[in-house]
Amino acid sequence: MKHKLVSLSSLCFLLISFTILADAQIKKPHHGESGFQNPNPGFQKKGFWNVLVWQWDRFFLPYSLDAKSYPEFPVVPNDGKELQSNANKLSVTWVGHATTLVQIDGVNVLTDPIWSERCSPLSFAGPKRYTPPGISIANLPKIDVIILSHNHYDHTDLTSLKQLEEKFHPLVLTGLGNRKLLLGEGIRNVKEMDWWDEVKIGSLQLTFTPTQHFSGRGLFDRDETLWGSFVITGKDETVYFAGDTGYYSHFKEIASRFPKIDVAILPIGATEPRWLMEPVHVDPKEAVRSFLDLKAKFLVPMHYMTFVLSDEPLDSPVPRTKEAMKESGISESALIPLKIGETRFF
């Protein structure tokens, strides 16, 4: 009996040791000790002090950052009727900032929705909307899925998400660690995803893919939740939504797994000053380089012309992107700079 007990103890010890060893082996490189991290070993983390230095420097810029100094940008009225009647065509509608409506295989997917006047924890302060949303929530077709790239205020806007929940009750896909926040705000159908996780909805496969960025909604929760991008794969077409990202090799890795991307929705704004923004926001040249890495057919730019978040003039990203495409030998027809509210059918 004693020998059996010793053998049983030994077996339990081996099982525990094997479990610990297995956990250590399957731990993913982007899972840190107290949160998440970028795979790029050269990633330069910028903190609150860097932001203070930047704000001080802004006083000495040679041009005004007052939104009144910018030109008026065209907004295309969109009553949603074409979108509501579209049963199967691939379409992309730019609502503003990183908010786009992607229609694919009869499924309506909304990216990083923000209809609020400010992207801020405060309703009376913080970056204010410069251009109105291109379509009202009331005129949207039924939203089946919302994808959230990360939890920054300009990408996870709780006010808008609650309005969309009340009207559509969509499935919300987001990175690890974000579910608790959303459930606490009454968002009921939330699924967290790690990089390369997949969710199937009808004929669609939605894959959460890597980006180089960071997360946080306050001073003390840096990188506690996971950021990322999405690949939306339909029966015949594939759409990539980048969210926010700096430039790194993840674009080539995504292309190796998804070799037939039709539309890449890429950020081109919030890029200056480069010493601060480069690790986490591609500029127009890097957006074009990312487009080439992805081997996509069309580039739909976003993340500009909506909020004043950085130092470059609001009207500069598209001309700079066109110039970068010209320098790279890419036909300008591959660039689809939608007006806010505009829909492109493919």
Side-chain angles (χ1 to χ4, degrees):
M1 183 69 178
K2 184 177 180 181
H3 291 297
K4 288 183 180 179
L5 287 173
V6 171
S7 299
L8 184 60
S9 298
S10 300
L11 179 60
C12 289
F13 175 77
L14 287 172
L15 286 172
I16 292 170
S17 300
F18 178 80
T19 301
I20 293 172
L21 180 62
D23 286 345
Q25 289 176 335
I26 65 173
K27 185 177 179 181
K28 300 176 182 179
H30 61 284
H31 288 222
E33 293 301 321
S34 58
F36 300 95
Q37 58 196 18
N38 287 294
N40 179 0
F43 177 76
Q44 297 178 350
K45 183 179 287 189
K46 306 293 184 179
F48 183 63
W49 173 252
N50 300 110
V51 174
L52 290 179
V53 171
W54 167 46
Q55 291 300 310
W56 172 257
D57 289 345
R58 293 182 106 187
F59 284 109
F60 303 101
L61 286 173
Y63 56 86
S64 172
L65 287 169
D66 185 349
K68 294 177 182 177
S69 67
Y70 292 123
E72 185 175 342
F73 297 110
V75 176
V76 176
N78 194 326
D79 61 9
K81 290 181 179 178
E82 274 192 302
L83 301 172
Q84 293 164 17
S85 62
N86 180 28
N88 49 35
K89 286 184 181 178
L90 173 64
S91 81
V92 177
T93 303
W94 190 29
V95 180
H97 200 52
T99 308
T100 63
L101 171 64
V102 177
Q103 296 185 296
I104 179 170
D105 289 6
V107 179
N108 295 318
V109 181
L110 199 58
T111 71
D112 289 358
I114 180 167
W115 268 261
S116 292
E117 190 67 15
R118 294 185 186 272
C119 53
S120 167
L122 304 172
S123 61
F124 56 88
K128 189 176 182 180
R129 198 171 199 111
Y130 182 66
T131 47
I135 183 173
S136 68
I137 290 178
N139 287 340
L140 288 171
K142 183 183 184 302
I143 300 302
D144 302 295
V145 185
I146 292 173
I147 55 179
L148 300 177
S149 62
H150 62 295
N151 72 353
H152 287 161
Y153 287 91
D154 57 324
H155 293 262
T156 295
D157 177 50
L158 297 176
T159 300
S160 299
L161 287 169
K162 286 189 281 189
Q163 292 173 338
L164 292 161
E165 167 67 28
E166 184 177 349
K167 185 172 176 61
F168 301 113
H169 310 298
L171 169 64
V172 178
L173 303 180
T174 185
L176 295 176
N178 289 305
R179 189 168 184 265
K180 182 179 178 181
L181 170 69
L182 299 174
L183 290 179
E185 295 294 327
I187 316 300
R188 286 178 282 179
N189 191 7
V190 181
K191 182 173 179 58
E192 289 185 349
M193 302 175 73
D194 200 352
W195 288 347
W196 306 116
D197 282 353
E198 300 170 353
V199 170
K200 292 189 181 295
I201 301 168
S203 61
L204 293 189
Q205 174 183 292
L206 295 98
T207 308
F208 195 49
T209 47
T211 59
Q212 180 171 289
H213 202 57
F214 69 107
S215 64
R217 293 176 72 84
L219 294 177
F220 306 108
D221 63 342
R222 173 89 181 221
D223 297 344
E224 290 182 1
T225 65
L226 186 59
W227 53 93
S229 54
F230 286 86
V231 176
I232 308 167
T233 309
K235 288 181 292 188
D236 301 311
E237 294 142 330
T238 299
V239 176
Y240 172 72
F241 171 70
D244 271 356
T245 183
Y247 181 78
Y248 191 55
S249 60
H250 60 277
F251 292 109
K252 290 181 179 179
E253 185 178 4
I254 291 166
S256 70
R257 301 194 188 204
F258 299 93
K260 294 182 179 179
I261 296 174
D262 295 279
V263 179
I265 305 172
L266 296 170
I268 62 170
T271 63
E272 303 296 331
R274 290 313 286 154
W275 68 264
L276 179 66
M277 300 296 188
E278 183 175 10
V280 294
H281 287 166
V282 292
D283 65 8
K285 279 191 174 183
E286 290 168 329
V288 170
R289 188 177 175 188
S290 306
F291 175 69
L292 288 170
D293 287 352
L294 291 165
K295 300 178 181 178
K297 293 178 183 177
F298 298 102
L299 192 167
V300 174
M302 51 88 170
H303 207 267
Y304 70 105
M305 205 189 288
T306 312
F307 295 99
V308 182
L309 300 175
S310 51
D311 291 350
E312 77 277 3
L314 279 183
D315 56 354
S316 68
V318 168
R320 291 168 63 197
T321 304
K322 288 181 178 179
E323 183 62 29
M325 294 187 79
K326 184 178 179 181
E327 290 175 358
S328 300
I330 306 171
S331 170
E332 194 172 308
S333 63
L335 178 66
I336 304 177
L338 296 174
K339 297 180 178 67
I340 290 177
E342 185 178 0
T343 298
R344 175 64 64 95
F345 291 90
F346 296 86

